[in-house]
Structure formats: C-alpha cells, structure tokens
Amino acid sequence: MDFSLPKEIEEKRNKVREFALREFTDEKKRYYDEHEKFPFEIREKGFKEGIFGVNNPWEQLVTIEELFRVDPGLGNSILSSAFGAEVLMLFGNDFQKKKYLEPVLKGEKIMGFATTEPVAGSDVAGIASRIENKDGYWLLNGSKMFITNGTVADFFLVLTRSGPSPSEQKRHHNMTMIILESNCPGVSRNKLYGKMGVRATDTAEIIFDNVKVPNENIIGEVGKGFYYAMTFFDISRIYIAAQSIGIAEGAVDMIIDKVKKDEKFSTMESVQFAIAEIITKVEAARLLTYEAASYLFEFKPDPTLTSMAKYYSADVATFAAEKALEITGVDGAITSLERLFRDAKIMEIWEGSTEIEKLVIYRSFIKKVMQK
Amino acid sequence: MTMDEEYKVLESVLKEFSQKEIEPVNKNIELEGLSTDLKNKLASQGFLGALAPFETGGAYLDRLGYAILLREISSASPSAAFYIFIQNSLVIKSLMKDNNMEIISKIASGKISGTMAYSTRLNMLDPGHIMKNGNMIEGVLNAVFNSSGNIFIVNIEEENNLYMIDSGYEKLPNHEQLGFRGVTFSPVKFKSSNFKPLSTKMDEIIEDIHLPVAAIAIGIANGALSKAISYAKERDAFLHKLKDFQPLAFNMSQAYSELDSLNTYLVSVAEGQKDLKKEMMLKTVSLDFARRTSKLALQVHGGYGYLMDFGVEKFYRDAMFLSIVGGHSLKDKVKLSELIFESKAGWI
C-alpha cells in the first residue's frame, strides 16, 4: 500500500503553495476580511495561473488544502467559483454544460449552489421554495439563505419543491433542481454582512418572487433534486474536509513561526505536546479524507467515510486553531491565526453540520451492518 | 450557599440595566466600540468606579459585588465588562494606595478613562519596552487595551515600579482584534516627562485579576448558553424543536449544570478571604468552560450563530481572547502547579 501522492500532484501542491504565499499577502488578507469584499482580482489571477482546475480531483484536493492553509476567505473565492459544478457535470445535459458549465470552468463566469433556506438549514428536506409548472415554463417562489457567491454569481443551481411531500417520511420526494440566472426578473439578492469568518467569501440571502424559469433549465429529471443534492454533498464534504486540513496546517505554520523566533518557547514540554497532538490529528484527518476521496474519485463514494472525514477534519481544524492560539498567546492573536480561528468554526457548520454528519455516519454504517 | 438579599438586588438591577442599556447597542459595541453614551451610563451607575471609595463617587463594592457586576455585564457584553475591569482592577487599584482621589473620581465619573499597559506580563515574544531616562519615560508597549484612554499605568521593568502617565503618548494603529472589540487594542508609543510614581507593584495588580477574569468568563458562558437555550426552544428542524433532540438537549443540560456549579463556586470564592490558589483554580475552570460553552452555543445556532446579528459569535471570540489576555496562561499554569504541589513544579 502506497500512501504517497503521485509526483505531479505534489508538484501541483508546491505550485499552489507558492501562489498563495505570493498573492495572499498580510495586507490583502486583512483588507478583504475587514471590508468583507469578494476579491475578484485574486480570483482572476488564480484562473490565469492555472491554480483552479477540475481535470484531476487529487490536484483539486491539494489545491484546496494549500489555499486554505494560507487564507480560507481568499482561497474560497477562487475555488467556489465553480461551486456545484459537479451537479452539472453528472446530471446536466449537453446544452446546459455548454451554456453554463464551460464558462465557469474557463473562469469567465461564477456559479452558486442554493439549497439552504431561512427555516431549513441542516434539514434539507424541509425546504419550502417551490416551482409550479405553467404553460411552457416554471414559476419559482421562495427564498434561500447563506448562499455562497450569492451576490457575485452569474447563475445558481437551486433546489426547490416541485410538488407536495407525499408524507412526513417522504419529505425529500418531489424536489427538483433548476438553473437560475441571477439577472432574471423577480430575483433579489441581499449580501449578508457580519460573518465571524471567511469574510472575503460572498454570502447572501436570495429571494424569488414569481421568477420565470424556462423548461430547458430543469436539471435531470423533475422530482430527483434531493438525490442530486445529496450526491453533490458526498463530493463537497470531501472538499470541506480538505479545507479543514488546510486550516489546521495553517495553524501549525503559525506555531512553527513562533518556534523559529523563540528558542525558549519550544523547550517547554507543554508546547511540544500541543504540537504533537495537533500534527497527529492532522495526519489522521488527512488519511481519513484521502481514503474517502479515493472511493469518491473511483466513482464509488462511501457516505460513511465521507461524513467521517468531514466531521473529523472540521473538528481538527477548530482544535488546531484553538490550541495554536492557546500556546502562542497574544503573538498568535494579533496575526493571521486569529482569522484562522474565526474561519475554522464554519467547517463544523457548512455543507452539513457536524450533527448531520454523525447522523449520516450512523445511518449508512448501520445499513451496511444490517445488510450483512 | 445562597447569596444575601443585597447581592440578589444587585444582580437584578444589573440584569435590567444590561437588558435596557446594553442589548440594544450590542452590535454597535462590536462594530464601533463602546460609545461615550454607554460609558456615561456605566459611570452613572457607579460601575466604572466599582472598587473606588464612596467619596470619589465610586460604588466601593466588595469582592462578591464586583464579581457579580462583571459576570452580569459580561453576559450581555464581554467588551463592556472588560472595560469595567480595566478601569477598576487595573487602574483604580493601582492608584488607590497613593490617594490619587481626584483622578479616581474622574475615572469613576467617566470624565477620563485609564489603562494599565501590561503587555510585559502576557505571553508575547515582543511585548515592547519602555525605560526611564532621568525625567523622561520612553519606548513602545505593543499590546495595550483601551489604548485610546487618557491615563496610562506603566511598569518600568528594570526597577519594577509603576508610573502614571497622562501626557506624552501616541496610540499606534490597532491590532487585528480577535475579541473585546468594544475596547481599543494597539501598541502605544511613550515619550513623556509628565509621570508620577506609584507605590503599588504590578505583580500585586496581576495577582488580583484571577477572580474578576473568572467572573467575566462565567458571564460569557452564561450569555452564550442563555441565547442557545432560547434558540433551541424556538427553532424547528426535522419537524421538531431543536430542544427535543437528545444530543443537543443533553449537551446543553450538561453545560447548564456546570454553569450552576461554577456560579456557586464563584460566590464561595468571592465571599471568602483572598485565596490565590482557589482564585486561580476558579479562573482555570471558568475560562475552559467559557470556551467550550460559547462554542456549543454557536453550533446550536448553526449558520445564524456565525452571523454577528445573532449576538452569539462574539462570546466564542471573547472567550478565546480572554483566555489569552486574562493573564499569562503559561505562567499561570506553572504558578497553579506550584501551589498545588507546594513546591517547584511544571517547569520542564
């Protein structure tokens, strides 16, 4: 069993690391965080230099790690431009791929993925936004919340209800996923200010008021939207695990920075133990994530492993950031580490909270056990 | 252990004050700092001179009264509690021995504010350095809270003496500030010939901060948990209220039980005579609890907890920050180990 990544993947890792260290300067990190602005120019540069790419998923994974290691907010602005693209790749038709997916992959357009609603976060089956079939088109009403790229995306993939729930147990039935262009009449978007972290990432509430959606913008089959969303979460949760590993690595970098500057600091066993604990957890998180990723990238996703990777890595990210602040003290608190601490917490919330991951882990595990 | 009636009245007055005067401006405190208006209200209630004698317009609270004040204000705004702590535990206490009643009176009335630049007592690689050359104190201290204040208490490390400086200083640009955003935090440059020696030693002041820091930490946990409990009663998910789900209800009940125990412990330590070991133990447990509980509270709120509007994320940031600036965490651990082992301990 070989645990090392191929040479070209490690080369990509080095390239991304070099890019992030060069482009994510302390001034930029602080500016975009403070002003809660989306860094269009950094995103463009990332595309121009070939930082973003979906051809090799392993490359994508190490890219996420290295960008988040230096700054999660800025890193996410590059990576999330294609947030939800996998749904189009897997379930979109040729017309949709050409019209919507291609420009995104070239960096010409930005997309978003909209499932969460004001009253339905973790409970995806509880969404209330709906589309009605009219003569030759669909009419969309409702609202979405916490949508990444909410005010900067050119279009969204929107999960919506296309019919009533057959029963309480089958609330996930009758959902449909659609492509919605941002400039459609009836779409209004309100940027959410005051996030604790990932503040360079654009997040918004979106309201749909009698928005006309053409038939050609229905993805896959009507009524299969929940399945498409869950398929995507099986992919995106791997990415969140990689984001978390990046943050934890970034916290380690900040500790090492102090170790290099302060000889006395690293002679203390409490510091040595803290570093040992963090790097052990990071290694465990990475192994778990890569194992889950290896199944996914072979088109055999294992939801148990995926959710384990997301849950554990997110936990490691917050642990590492907290521990790093604890031992570096004020030195850490007045540097990028304070931002990493604020950024780390979202890992336990977005793309399925830790509580949801635990439910998925149990349910998929017990299903396997009972089938034996 | 139950509190006397006068403390219950104080607690009730403080809850009402927080509800009426702090909650409505809480977001502004985080975004723009404590307003002059709120500082005046804190002063008019006697909070800025909580430890100051009556003749200076202070409230002259005892240890328990002061702990209750900090805990209750912190439950609403940790920044406001930290500001009160700076004025009382750091500044007024430094000035008391030398009968600086006029200045104490001005601080108690909110006309001026002060700070103690204690960056040399924090876990910092470069806390900065100031020195006294004849009739001049000069240098830079790198981590100063309420750096926009008017009075600075500084320690000349070479001679280990405190001095009060009221002119000849310059606030430098703010640091990135994880917590207590209502209070300015930056380096300060000193070049002053206008200073006055104080007979109190910095170590006496720092040794006395454990109980008040514990009170602020318990307030943070209380504020965060109260919000989470209210939210869990109202928020629906999967066709039920959040409170109906076992993991969430059990975790919050556990935290609530710990909070109750810690409050009893706080009252017990504050009512007794000064006991460094007990105060340090209380601080250690309270800081850990504040961090765990504020994290839990944020998680209960989900995405909404991550937004400033819901008023819970500040508790998470402030709890972490307090555990960094509420003393030198490493030195405190060594000291507590020595008190427990009654000999040199925890030094390798």
Side-chain angles (χ1 to χ4, degrees):
Chain A
M1 190 175 293
D2 183 4
F3 285 96
S4 59
L5 290 173
K7 192 174 163 227
E8 66 271 19
I9 305 297
E10 289 300 348
E11 281 170 359
K12 173 77 179 194
R13 183 193 290 281
N14 294 337
K15 180 183 172 182
V16 176
R17 173 112 180 112
E18 186 274 322
F19 172 86
L21 289 174
R22 169 169 39 93
E23 295 300 327
F24 299 177
T25 60
D26 285 344
E27 291 73 25
K28 284 181 192 169
K29 286 191 261 186
R30 189 169 179 169
Y31 175 82
Y32 288 107
D33 176 69
E34 201 174 313
H35 297 275
E36 298 187 72
K37 278 184 75 175
F38 185 84
F40 286 101
E41 63 277 30
I42 293 178
R43 176 188 163 272
E44 277 172 30
K45 217 164 193 175
F47 270 87
K48 267 186 194 157
E49 295 197 22
I51 297 304
F52 178 83
V54 294
N55 293 338
N56 185 327
W58 287 106
E59 278 192 9
Q60 212 174 338
L61 210 61
V62 298
T63 300
I64 293 169
E65 277 181 40
E66 295 305 324
L67 292 181
F68 271 68
R69 180 176 174 181
V70 182
D71 191 84
L74 296 178
N76 202 42
S77 70
I78 297 175
L79 298 161
S80 69
S81 293
F83 190 50
E86 291 82 355
V87 174
L88 280 177
M89 289 177 201
L90 292 170
F91 306 111
N93 57 35
D94 290 344
F95 163 78
Q96 291 166 343
K97 285 177 186 170
K98 184 154 186 62
K99 182 175 179 185
Y100 293 104
L101 185 60
E102 279 185 18
V104 166
L105 299 183
K106 286 179 190 163
E108 294 163 2
K109 286 195 171 175
I110 297 175
M111 67 181 290
F113 188 74
T115 53
T116 301
E117 297 193 355
V119 293
S122 296
D123 183 13
V124 177
I127 64 165
S129 66
R130 63 197 185 280
I131 47 169
E132 289 171 70
N133 196 353
K134 298 288 181 183
D135 191 17
Y137 65 92
W138 296 76
L139 200 61
L140 171 67
N141 280 288
S143 63
K144 293 288 173 183
M145 191 63 174
F146 300 123
I147 304 308
T148 299
N149 296 334
T151 67
V152 298
D154 298 284
F155 68 91
F156 300 94
L157 307 190
V158 179
L159 183 67
T160 180
R161 192 164 278 293
S162 47
S165 314
S167 67
E168 276 191 8
Q169 287 72 35
K170 292 181 177 172
R171 289 187 306 141
H172 57 292
H173 287 209
N174 284 335
M175 290 189 187
T176 297
M177 194 163 283
I178 59 165
I179 301 169
L180 178 74
E181 296 193 14
S182 313
N183 57 6
C184 280
V187 176
S188 51
R189 304 183 281 174
N190 306 310
K191 178 165 173 140
L192 297 173
Y193 288 96
K195 295 200 300 285
M196 183 170 77
V198 286
R199 288 160 60 91
T201 298
D202 183 79
T203 311
E205 175 190 25
I206 310 176
I207 298 164
F208 316 119
D209 181 17
N210 286 323
V211 183
K212 283 185 179 177
V213 179
N215 279 328
E216 64 193 33
N217 281 18
I218 299 288
I219 296 176
E221 291 177 46
V222 171
K224 289 273 182 74
F226 187 84
Y227 165 71
Y228 302 154
M230 292 302 124
T231 303
F232 175 61
F233 287 146
D234 267 341
I235 300 167
S236 64
R237 283 170 185 167
I238 300 276
Y239 297 156
I240 306 300
Q243 293 176 0
S244 304
I245 293 165
I247 289 176
E249 286 277 22
V252 174
D253 291 339
M254 301 306 291
I255 303 174
I256 298 306
D257 196 43
K258 184 156 178 166
V259 166
K260 285 178 182 167
K261 290 175 185 163
D262 184 356
E263 281 176 28
K264 204 175 154 200
F265 178 64
S266 58
T267 61
M268 292 178 282
E269 274 199 7
S270 59
V271 172
Q272 295 168 4
F273 280 28
I275 295 171
E277 285 169 29
I278 298 171
I279 61 174
T280 304
K281 283 173 184 280
V282 171
E283 195 57 27
R286 182 175 277 124
L287 284 173
L288 188 51
T289 301
Y290 286 10
E291 187 188 359
S294 70
Y295 285 103
L296 175 71
F297 299 160
E298 294 293 322
F299 302 100
K300 299 178 290 188
D302 181 330
T304 317
L305 276 176
T306 300
S307 286
M308 281 177 176
K310 198 268 180 186
Y311 152 51
Y312 185 70
S313 303
D315 186 58
V316 171
T318 57
F319 172 83
E322 286 170 15
K323 204 79 182 167
L325 268 177
E326 190 183 309
I327 61 173
T328 58
V330 179
D331 291 324
I334 58 175
T335 62
S336 298
L337 184 54
E338 75 89 24
R339 203 167 28 253
L340 280 179
F341 171 81
R342 291 187 279 113
D343 294 341
K345 190 71 194 81
I346 197 65
M347 300 295 136
E348 295 185 317
I349 298 171
W350 66 11
E351 295 300 288
S353 67
T354 290
E355 292 73 18
I356 293 301
E357 302 312 330
K358 288 180 184 174
L359 278 179
V360 174
I361 292 165
Y362 169 76
R363 286 174 185 169
S364 51
F365 168 76
I366 206 73
K367 196 172 159 189
K368 272 192 256 175
V369 170
M370 293 305 185
Q371 278 170 352
K372 278 182 185 172
Chain B
M1 183 170 293
T2 55
M3 285 193 301
D4 289 345
E5 200 56 37
E6 59 181 305
Y7 296 113
K8 286 183 183 163
V9 171
L10 174 65
E11 191 178 81
S12 153
V13 167
L14 287 164
K15 282 188 197 301
E16 195 183 326
F17 177 85
S18 296
Q19 195 61 37
K20 195 175 155 198
E21 306 294 352
I22 297 181
E23 285 297 353
V25 295
N26 232 330
K27 191 175 168 186
N28 284 349
I29 293 173
E30 295 300 305
L31 288 172
E32 290 154 24
L34 293 164
S35 67
T36 307
D37 181 50
L38 181 58
K39 286 178 186 172
N40 287 338
K41 283 173 181 165
L42 294 172
S44 70
Q45 294 292 317
F47 301 158
L48 297 185
L51 298 179
F54 294 126
E55 61 265 33
T56 62
Y60 203 49
L61 293 177
D62 60 12
R63 283 155 50 89
L64 179 55
Y66 184 49
I68 292 171
L69 165 67
L70 292 176
R71 185 193 65 195
E72 291 305 322
I73 298 294
S74 175
S75 294
S77 167
S79 283
F82 194 63
Y83 184 75
I84 293 169
F85 162 81
I86 292 170
Q87 301 315 310
N88 287 281
S89 292
L90 302 183
V91 181
I92 291 176
K93 276 203 164 184
S94 300
L95 299 172
M96 291 272 269
K97 265 192 198 167
D98 302 292
N99 246 357
N100 290 296
M101 294 309 168
E102 197 184 333
I103 293 168
I104 292 176
S105 171
K106 283 183 182 172
I107 291 170
S109 67
K111 283 180 187 150
I112 62 170
S113 73
T115 190
M116 172 185 270
Y118 65 111
S119 56
T120 54
R121 292 294 191 278
L122 293 172
N123 180 7
M124 277 188 92
L125 196 55
D126 181 15
H129 185 245
I130 54 168
M131 45 202 261
K132 189 161 142 280
N133 285 327
N135 64 349
M136 186 71 75
I137 287 180
E138 55 186 323
V140 175
L141 289 174
N142 281 332
V144 182
F145 285 100
N146 194 34
S147 50
S148 52
N150 319 88
I151 299 281
F152 291 83
I153 312 289
V154 299
N155 193 48
I156 302 298
E157 296 292 331
E158 286 77 8
E159 55 182 65
N160 196 24
N161 284 323
L162 286 179
Y163 290 86
M164 179 181 73
I165 297 176
D166 61 7
S167 65
Y169 52 80
E170 182 194 350
K171 176 187 169 298
L172 299 177
N174 288 335
H175 287 301
E176 299 195 38
Q177 196 163 341
L178 174 62
F180 299 135
R181 289 183 178 164
V183 182
T184 54
F185 178 46
S186 74
V188 174
K189 188 175 177 183
F190 297 93
K191 189 165 187 178
S192 177
S193 55
N194 200 0
F195 54 83
K196 188 178 170 186
L198 301 172
S199 47
T200 304
K201 298 291 179 194
M202 186 180 245
D203 289 334
E204 294 171 48
I205 299 297
I206 298 298
E207 202 173 279
D208 244 3
I209 68 172
H210 307 303
L211 179 62
V213 167
I216 296 172
I218 294 170
I220 288 174
N222 183 46
L225 191 57
S226 301
K227 280 194 180 292
I229 289 174
S230 301
Y231 188 76
K233 284 180 185 171
E234 290 165 13
R235 174 76 176 179
D236 292 301
F238 299 98
L239 307 173
H240 295 278
K241 299 290 180 200
L242 288 183
K243 70 175 177 60
D244 296 334
F245 295 95
Q246 278 190 351
L248 199 144
F250 292 1
N251 282 336
M252 289 170 76
S253 301
Q254 169 79 25
Y256 192 84
S257 311
E258 287 183 61
L259 177 63
D260 195 55
S261 306
L262 264 182
N263 269 320
T264 306
Y265 189 19
L266 175 75
V267 171
S268 152
V269 173
E271 273 189 337
Q273 292 297 308
K274 182 170 167 46
D275 182 329
L276 182 60
K277 186 174 152 188
K278 280 193 173 171
E279 288 170 23
M280 293 192 86
M281 291 194 299
L282 174 66
K283 184 174 93 167
T284 302
V285 178
S286 303
L287 285 171
D288 174 63
F289 179 64
R291 283 166 54 180
R292 282 191 286 117
T293 307
S294 55
K295 189 177 183 180
L296 169 67
L298 200 161
Q299 187 70 18
V300 167
H301 282 77
Y304 290 107
Y306 208 63
L307 294 178
M308 182 186 272
D309 282 348
F310 278 70
V312 71
E313 57 87 34
K314 71 172 183 285
F315 291 118
Y316 181 58
R317 290 186 288 102
D318 289 342
M320 188 69 232
F321 203 44
L322 183 61
S323 67
I324 292 168
V325 301
H328 189 304
S329 59
L330 196 65
K331 282 186 181 162
D332 282 355
K333 280 179 182 170
V334 173
K335 180 74 185 170
L336 182 57
S337 300
E338 287 172 352
L339 288 169
I340 287 169
F341 288 98
E342 297 176 335
S343 62
K344 190 177 178 184
W347 56 280
I348 298 170

